[in-house]
Structure formats: C-alpha cells, structure tokens
Amino acid sequence: MKPSVILYKALPDDLQKRLEEHFTVTQVKNLSPDTVAQHADAFARAEGLLGSSEKVDSALLEKMPKLRATSTISVGYDNFDVEALNARKVLLMHTPTALTETVADTLMALVLSTARRVVEVAERVKAGEWTKSIGPDWFGVDVHGKTLGIVGMGRIGLALAQRAHFGFNMPILYNARRQHKEAEERFNGRYCDLDTLLQEADYVCLILPLTDETHHLIGKAEFAKMKKSAIFINAGRGPVVDEKALIAALQNGEIHAAGLDVFEQEPLPVDSPLLTLPNVVALPHIGSATHETRYSMASTAVDNLIDALNGKVEKNCVNPQVK
Ligand SMILES: NC(=O)C1=CN([C@@H]2O[C@H](COP(=O)(O)OP(=O)(O)OC[C@H]3O[C@@H](n4cnc5c(N)ncnc54)[C@H](O)[C@@H]3O)[C@@H](O)[C@H]2O)C=CC1
Ligand SMILES: O=C(O)C(=O)CO
C-alpha cells in the first residue's frame, strides 16, 4: 500500500501526477484547525506533508501521529517548529538551491528601483505629470560603484554579491555568522561587524533567515547608525526588522529609501504607513516568484518528499540527524 500524504498547496498537473504515483494524496486548502478537523482521518494516517506558507507546530503534529517527513516548497523554514519535529524524529526537507539566482535578481531589482525611483516616476508618467523635460526632482542616485552591505552571506547573499561585483562594480561589505572565503576571493567582499557595515554601506541589504537571534536584528539603534543617504533593502523575512522603527527612520529622513519584499505581517495591511511613503518600493513577497523557479521549487519539493519517505536525505534536509 502506498504511504498517505497531505498536500496543502496546489501543484502543476504533472507534479501532482508524480506525487500520486508514489503516494495516496489528500489535498487540503490549508492547515487551519478547521481543515484538520474536517480531514481528521487523513491527517491521522499521513506519513508525509507537502506545501508552503503555513505554520507546522506541535499542535498540528499531535494530529499527525504517523508523520515521518515534511517537505516545504521554500528555502526558509521559520514556519516549522524544528524542535518539535526533531523530538518526533520527523524529517524536514526544503528547496535551497532552486531559487537562489531568482531571489538575487529580485534583490538587485529592489536596489535599482529604489535608487532610480523607478516605480515612483513611472507612476508620475502614467498620471500625466511628464509635461516637459524632467528636472532634479525626478532624479535618482547611482548604483554602480557604491558600497553594498550584505547582511547574511549565504547562498542568496553570494549570488547578489556576484551581480553587484561583476555587473555594477560595487565594493562589497558583508556580515554573517562566519567569514566566507568565496565572497572574499571571487567578489572582493570584506567581512565586517554589523555596526561597521551599517555605518559604511550605501545599500544595506538583508537576506537572513528568521530565527530567535535575527528577530528585530535591525531596529531604531541600527537605523540611526546608517548614512542619511542609505537605501535599505529586506528580502529575507519581515520580522528581522522592527517595522515601526523602519517607518520612523523613513519618515524622519534618517535613511533615504527602502525596498521591501517581506513584512512583519503578510499580506501587508492596506493601511500600513509604508504604502504612503513615495521612497518605499513594497513588493508582495515575490523573491522567488517566476514561473520557472516556482516550478523548479515545487518539483524539488515533490522529489524531496519521495526521497525522505524512502530514507534518502543526502541533500535538501534541514535535520538529517533524526533519520
Ligand atoms: N523574499 C523571498 O521570497 C525569499 C526569502 N528568502 C529568505 O532568505 C533566507 C536566506 O536564504 P539562503 O541564502 O538560501 O540561506 P543560507 O542559509 O544559505 O544563508 C543564510 C545566511 O545568513 C547568515 N546568518 C544567519 N543568522 C545570522 C545572524 N544572526 N547574523 C548574521 N548572519 C546570519 C548565515 O551565516 C548565512 O550566511 C531564507 O532563510 C529566507 O528566509 C529566501 C528565498 C526567497
Ligand atoms: O523560499 C522562501 O523561503 C521564500 O520566502 C519564498 O520563496
């Protein structure tokens, strides 16, 4: 008999078929208590769980006594209670390499669009304001040659450094938990403490996982250390930044602009002050959202679940020690 799995995200038809070749699949719309109660038998039987953007905590695990593996269609796994999974010896699989280049493209898009005010001036054109040759009130600032500070020199940080170094001739400062030889040898990156990076960078780019350690890593004191001309970018996770402090820093002119793909609350509430600021580019968490990359992530996640339930955890496994 095929193992049972719960699928909580729609998959392209061919991937759904591949999943069904290996498993008996119950598709649900989300992991809310109501949905779990409605499909209680399927959750009680399931050995695998596949999806994204939903909390997987100990309360859910209690409803899934047979669970052996979870597979998330994402690289970030802050939605998972990893300690609870470890205690139950449930494997957690993710999609680290499938999205790296695409997310680095998004970061570069945020750098360029904030610096050159792309969204703001395009809106002014659409509003009919381009009635004569433009003056300095439409100008932006340069990107090439400016100092880029990358906080979180992991896979995506490295891909951003590559773009900035070779494409835009930007000197690179970085902060991470350890020094990265590759960043230094290939992209001339300079490791420094967070304070130095905040003080010296023209562009401060965050691409960090959300952990207890990174929660509100950037707040009032950190914005105060940045240059008044600094542009702040976050595409890691919203709660890494104290959003109230960010809004105040933008409103008080402590920093020049911000490009954001992630927020403390998603979707971003429509009454967020961030949406009233012309110097903010706010994106709806599109870091990896291209057709090609989202397909590749879903395909990797399906393969990850097949591998994990067959005891293969050589790659893409967050907690291989529980096997
Ligand atoms: N906006 C979006 O759509 C996306 C956002 N992400 C976010 O980006 C994160 C990073 O992804 P990857 O580069 O693949 O991960 P990674 O694990 O390769 O890199 C993470 C980096 O952060 C550093 N780091 C961790 N804690 C730190 C701390 N307290 N202080 C300084 N550095 C610290 C690590 O040393 C490492 O260099 C993901 O965990 C996810 O939250 C990832 C993909 C898409
Ligand atoms: O993979 C992730 O962690 C995302 O945020 C979406 O791609």
Side-chain angles (χ1 to χ4, degrees), residues 74-76 99 237 285 288 294 297:
S74 64
V75 64
L99 47 63
R237 285 289 183 266
H285 201 141
S288 63
R294 282 292 169 87
M297 289 163 67

Side-chain angles (χ1 to χ4, degrees), residues 76-92:
Y77 49 86
D78 43 284
N79 271 327
F80 290 78
D81 182 338
V82 179
E83 263 181 43
L85 292 175
N86 289 346
R88 276 272 316 273
K89 296 195 186 309
V90 176
L91 291 164
L92 170 56

Side-chain angles (χ1 to χ4, degrees), residues 35-51:
T35 303
V36 176
Q38 206 184 326
H39 300 274
D41 288 349
F43 276 84
R45 269 194 319 269
E47 294 177 54
L49 182 64
L50 172 63

Side-chain angles (χ1 to χ4, degrees), residues 226-274:
M226 294 181 202
K227 296 179 181 180
K228 277 202 162 29
S229 57
I231 292 185
F232 178 74
I233 308 289
N234 184 17
R237 285 289 183 266
V240 171
V241 178
D242 176 348
E243 210 162 272
K244 281 201 176 74
L246 168 63
I247 293 165
L250 287 160
Q251 286 172 335
N252 303 335
E254 284 174 63
I255 60 170
H256 179 63
L260 308 166
D261 188 41
V262 289
F263 301 89
E264 289 208 86
Q265 190 187 327
E266 294 180 10
L268 181 64
V270 287
D271 61 353
S272 168
L274 288 169

Side-chain angles (χ1 to χ4, degrees), residues 53-315:
S53 316
E54 296 272 338
K55 285 263 173 254
V56 175
D57 55 15
S58 48
L60 177 68
L61 294 183
E62 272 177 30
K63 309 283 181 196
M64 306 189 74
K66 298 204 165 143
L67 190 65
R68 292 194 288 123
T70 58
S71 178
T72 178
I73 310 171
S74 64
V75 64
Y77 49 86
D78 43 284
N79 271 327
F80 290 78
D81 182 338
V82 179
E83 263 181 43
L85 292 175
N86 289 346
R88 276 272 316 273
K89 296 195 186 309
V90 176
L91 291 164
L92 170 56
M93 312 296 285
H94 68 151
T95 64
T97 47
L99 47 63
T100 300
E101 300 297 327
T102 298
V103 183
D105 289 346
T106 306
L107 277 158
M108 212 59 229
L110 282 170
V111 168
L112 289 165
S113 57
T114 46
R116 301 300 303 275
R117 301 167 61 191
V118 170
V119 178
E120 185 192 347
V121 298
E123 277 170 0
R124 287 172 72 179
V125 173
K126 281 191 180 166
E129 290 179 40
W130 186 26
T131 53
K132 57 182 170 47
S133 175
I134 62 152
D137 63 321
W138 294 65
F139 294 175
V141 293
D142 275 335
V143 172
H144 66 271
K146 297 285 182 70
T147 299
L148 173 65
I150 302 178
V151 187
M153 187 56 90
R155 288 170 291 255
I156 301 168
L158 273 174
L160 173 64
Q162 180 182 31
R163 283 155 177 74
H165 175 68
F166 291 115
F168 295 86
N169 196 25
M170 297 174 90
I172 289 161
L173 303 176
Y174 75 96
N175 178 260
R177 282 174 304 184
R178 63 176 180 86
Q179 274 183 257
H180 286 257
K181 222 170 147 204
E182 192 184 349
E184 301 187 3
E185 287 173 359
R186 291 183 59 202
F187 314 126
N188 211 16
R190 177 161 71 87
Y191 180 83
C192 58
D193 60 38
L194 186 59
D195 280 359
T196 308
L197 184 149
L198 298 175
Q199 283 157 14
E200 293 186 13
D202 297 306
Y203 295 86
V204 174
C205 282
L206 261 59
I207 185 68
L208 285 167
L210 175 60
T211 62
D212 290 345
E213 209 186 315
T214 63
H215 183 264
H216 281 197
L217 182 74
I218 304 294
K220 191 175 183 321
E222 288 68 34
F223 287 114
K225 287 177 189 148
M226 294 181 202
K227 296 179 181 180
K228 277 202 162 29
S229 57
I231 292 185
F232 178 74
I233 308 289
N234 184 17
R237 285 289 183 266
V240 171
V241 178
D242 176 348
E243 210 162 272
K244 281 201 176 74
L246 168 63
I247 293 165
L250 287 160
Q251 286 172 335
N252 303 335
E254 284 174 63
I255 60 170
H256 179 63
L260 308 166
D261 188 41
V262 289
F263 301 89
E264 289 208 86
Q265 190 187 327
E266 294 180 10
L268 181 64
V270 287
D271 61 353
S272 168
L274 288 169
L275 297 178
T276 65
L277 299 170
N279 53 345
V280 169
V281 174
L283 301 180
H285 201 141
I286 58 156
S288 63
T290 64
H291 290 291
E292 300 91 330
T293 294
R294 282 292 169 87
Y295 180 87
S296 167
M297 289 163 67
S299 174
T300 303
V302 168
D303 288 344
N304 283 345
L305 190 62
I306 296 167
D307 282 350
L309 287 177
N310 285 308
K312 273 175 63 184
V313 292
E314 289 82 43
K315 60 177 170 56

